[in-house]
Amino acid sequence: MVEIKSDAALAAMREAGRVVANALAAVQAEAAVGVSLLDLDEVARGVLRAAGAASPFLGYRPSFAPVPFPAVICASVNDAVVHGIPDGYRLGDGDLVSIDCGAVLDGWAGDAAVSFTVGTARPEDTALIDTARRALEAGIAAAVAGNRTGDIGHAIGTVARGARYGLLDGYGGHGIGRRMHEDPHVPNEGRPGRGYPLRPGLVLAIEPMLIVGGRDDYATDPDGWTLRTTDGARAAHVEHTVAITEDGPRILTLP
């Protein structure tokens, strides 16, 4: 079931989104050579705690997962695309890191992700992250009343494929509101004019996941969560929670 949010609900989701943005900013500021992924998870926990927010990630167990997710962030490094479980791995110079974080505040959820490099950035990583951001921006620009989810996917896919990147097979964005994952599914490739219709009050998490080399396939780590490229190629993941409004798309996960 797709819920259309009231103005009051959008205002509440904006506050949840602000918490997510602050957590991601704090994690990125802390990320440095020698810092562990568990350290970064603790930083995010501190931001959520200070805001009185809960984590929709912690304890989350969808049907595919062998165990509940044990952290408040997903921390995916280098060839890990999404859903990386924070552990004792210490960041090295040149690592490409994708951090996904959510928050629930006063019963409403926010969800966003950033990708960045630690220390000395490889030019190819910088290009990958820049393209992922451009794909996200294109998807957000297409999130207008009267369009459909296929228009968002077409916008994202055009940027990604045009730069010869892969897109994680079968994965995309989703509706969001009282729960982190709601209908409808938001594809990262699509046909214009197809899919679920966009109307004011619909809120979507839009999240391109780009892979160097153009392949879309992936393998799942033994932890049952981490999705990794099959050839060791690097990946980037960026995301915002976006409301469809009569005045155009409104990003809810900004600081």
Side-chain angles (χ1 to χ4, degrees), residues 12-202:
M13 291 189 72
R14 175 69 181 101
E15 294 310 308
R18 201 185 311 273
V19 174
V20 174
N22 291 340
L24 288 173
V27 167
Q28 186 168 351
E30 183 69 17
V33 174
V35 174
S36 78
L37 300 182
L38 284 173
D39 293 334
L40 299 184
D41 189 64
E42 284 300 323
V43 169
R45 287 175 189 254
V47 174
L48 296 181
R49 187 165 49 246
S55 169
F57 290 17
L58 185 63
Y60 181 57
R61 189 179 183 183
S63 58
F64 68 79
V67 295
F69 196 77
V72 304
I73 61 170
C74 296
S76 306
V77 181
N78 296 331
D79 63 332
V81 190
V82 290
H83 302 166
I85 296 176
D87 57 17
Y89 176 81
R90 294 191 178 275
L91 296 172
D93 187 48
D95 275 347
L96 194 166
V97 183
S98 296
I99 303 292
D100 192 355
C101 184
V104 176
L105 185 67
D106 296 329
W108 295 97
D111 187 12
V114 295
S115 288
F116 56 88
T117 51
V118 174
T120 307
R122 300 181 184 185
E124 57 268 32
D125 289 345
T126 299
L128 170 65
I129 293 169
D130 286 347
T131 305
R133 290 172 179 162
R134 287 195 295 108
L136 176 58
E137 290 168 359
I140 292 171
V144 296
N147 274 356
R148 291 176 176 262
T149 51
D151 293 290
I152 296 175
H154 179 72
I156 292 170
T158 297
V159 173
R161 298 302 191 188
R164 299 186 177 180
Y165 291 115
L167 289 162
L168 189 66
D169 189 29
Y171 281 79
H174 49 89
I176 183 170
R178 299 178 193 273
R179 294 177 291 112
M180 177 172 60
H181 289 140
E182 298 182 350
D183 290 333
H185 173 70
V186 183
N188 283 333
E189 279 193 289
R191 293 174 59 185
R194 301 295 292 271
Y196 192 85
L198 309 183
R199 57 191 178 108
L202 180 64

Side-chain angles (χ1 to χ4, degrees), residues 236-249:
H237 173 213
V238 292
E239 177 182 16
H240 270 307
T241 295
V242 180
I244 314 301
T245 79
E246 293 179 352
D247 299 321

